[in-house]
Amino acid sequence: MENKSIENIKILNKKHIRENDKNLPLLDTQNNKDSENLLLETKNFYQTIKKKLIFILNQSCLELSNSKNPQILNCDDDIKILKKMKKNPDLYRPDITHQCLLSLFDSPLNKVGLLKVYIKTKKNIFIEINNKTRIPRTFKRFIGLFSQLLKKGNIKNEKNENLLNIINFDNKNFKNFPKIFVDNKKGRLIDIENYCNNINKNLKINNNIVFIINVDVNDIKINEVYKEKDIQYDDIISLSSYKIPSNIECSKICEAFEKIWEIL
């Protein structure tokens, strides 16, 4: 049954691509219905798949100021405050986390519900993000939203669902999943498509895959990613021989799995 559904989606996907490649409007009502049904069927089908790609954005610099109206500190707007605190302003880069979130939540992988994102801050605050969350496009709004989260503990929507939620980190949630730490300096250089394809082949049906992306300016020691001693890492990899931004690392991994899982 599952294989039949996959084949139907592939056929509709190919038809949709051919029609759009003509650069002509779709005047046929039936063709339009096929396109609409494709989007609905694809989303509904992938939501039945139990395995997901999990990202942990590690060492995120989300720290509130000590002012009357606390806001997340950043190197552009809070230089004077940071210098008074005897902190290096260059290390306060919440914009890296923002860029990563935009890349992840804009991905087709997230659109079909196969992505899960967590943030672990330098202060060891663990944040769970609902994939229905609309990440603010502007940095100013991002700062406002996440400042509110750190003050309240959660952000809910109109249906009272948690969109952003501070949770207690539990090793058991990730214990049986392959966990890969991405580090351009310390990791071994791999071809990301071949690497992800090999992981997928050996993955159990209901298993998730965890990628840990460092979103801090500074390099950190691998054994300092988490303080919990019982977390074991399966691999440490590098995606390029050049230093690339964290959001590009996120995009490269997402694109690899979108190709493997045939998400167009």
Side-chain angles (χ1 to χ4, degrees):
M1 184 68 182
E2 182 175 310
N3 290 334
K4 188 176 180 181
S5 298
I6 293 174
E7 289 304 317
N8 288 339
I9 291 170
K10 287 180 184 177
I11 292 168
L12 286 170
N13 270 332
K14 289 176 182 177
K15 185 176 181 181
H16 182 70
I17 291 168
R18 285 198 302 270
E19 288 167 344
N20 284 283
D21 279 347
K22 295 175 184 177
N23 294 319
L24 294 173
L26 297 178
L27 300 178
D28 189 344
T29 306
Q30 185 59 45
N31 284 342
N32 283 324
K33 286 182 179 179
D34 283 347
S35 296
E36 291 173 4
N37 290 337
L38 164 66
L39 296 174
L40 182 61
E41 184 179 351
T42 302
K43 188 171 183 180
N44 289 341
F45 171 75
Y46 282 116
Q47 284 177 349
T48 65
I49 298 177
K50 293 183 179 180
K51 61 184 176 182
K52 289 187 178 183
L53 185 61
I54 296 175
F55 280 87
I56 299 176
L57 303 182
N58 183 60
Q59 294 292 304
S60 175
C61 189
L62 300 177
E63 183 180 335
L64 289 174
S65 62
N66 294 323
S67 59
K68 292 181 180 179
N69 182 27
Q71 294 289 311
I72 290 174
L73 296 163
N74 71 87
C75 61
D76 291 325
D77 302 322
D78 304 304
I79 294 178
K80 291 181 180 179
I81 295 173
L82 290 167
K83 286 184 176 179
K84 284 182 181 179
M85 296 169 61
K86 296 182 179 179
K87 303 283 187 180
N88 182 357
D90 293 337
L91 302 181
Y92 284 76
R93 295 284 309 278
D95 57 294
I96 299 175
T97 300
H98 182 221
Q99 291 163 8
C100 288
L101 290 177
L102 288 175
S103 296
L104 292 170
F105 280 80
D106 283 346
S107 69
L109 203 65
N110 184 57
K111 305 296 183 186
V112 297
L114 295 185
L115 190 69
K116 186 68 179 175
V117 181
Y118 297 91
I119 297 173
K120 182 176 180 293
T121 73
K122 290 183 177 182
K123 298 286 186 179
N124 292 319
I125 297 172
F126 206 73
I127 301 168
E128 180 181 29
I129 307 180
N130 190 322
N131 69 341
K132 296 178 183 177
T133 304
R134 295 179 64 182
I135 303 300
R137 309 305 298 183
T138 66
F139 181 62
K140 186 176 180 179
R141 289 184 179 179
F142 166 78
I143 288 292
L145 178 65
F146 276 78
S147 295
Q148 188 180 358
L149 167 67
L150 293 177
K151 287 183 278 189
K152 291 178 60 178
N154 60 30
I155 301 291
K156 296 178 181 288
N157 61 12
E158 295 175 354
K159 297 180 180 179
N160 206 36
E161 299 172 319
N162 279 325
L163 296 178
L164 303 169
N165 193 27
I166 294 176
I167 61 174
N168 292 323
F169 177 73
D170 191 347
N171 291 328
K172 294 179 182 178
N173 292 340
F174 309 102
K175 186 176 180 180
N176 297 320
F177 304 148
K179 293 174 287 293
I180 299 99
F181 183 86
V182 180
D183 187 291
N184 268 358
K185 286 188 176 180
K186 302 176 181 69
R188 62 186 179 88
L189 185 62
I190 52 94
D191 180 285
I192 189 61
E193 286 190 13
N194 291 336
Y195 184 83
C196 292
N197 196 35
N198 289 332
I199 291 177
N200 188 62
K201 285 178 181 177
N202 298 321
L203 199 66
K204 295 179 181 178
I205 294 175
N206 60 345
N207 254 16
N208 297 326
I209 312 155
V210 181
F211 280 90
I212 300 159
I213 308 289
N214 185 33
V215 292
D216 187 18
V217 176
N218 286 341
D219 293 322
I220 57 172
K221 295 179 181 178
I222 301 303
N223 59 1
E224 291 178 355
V225 174
Y226 290 107
K227 292 184 178 179
E228 289 77 6
K229 295 180 181 179
D230 54 340
I231 288 191
Q232 299 295 321
Y233 297 97
D234 299 289
D235 207 356
I236 303 168
I237 63 170
S238 171
L239 306 187
S240 175
S241 54
Y242 302 97
K243 187 173 183 179
I244 57 176
S246 302
N247 64 308
I248 301 300
E249 292 177 337
C250 292
S251 294
K252 287 171 75 72
I253 296 166
C254 283
E255 288 168 4
F257 278 99
E258 285 160 7
K259 186 174 181 179
I260 294 165
W261 292 341
E262 298 184 314
I263 301 169
L264 301 177

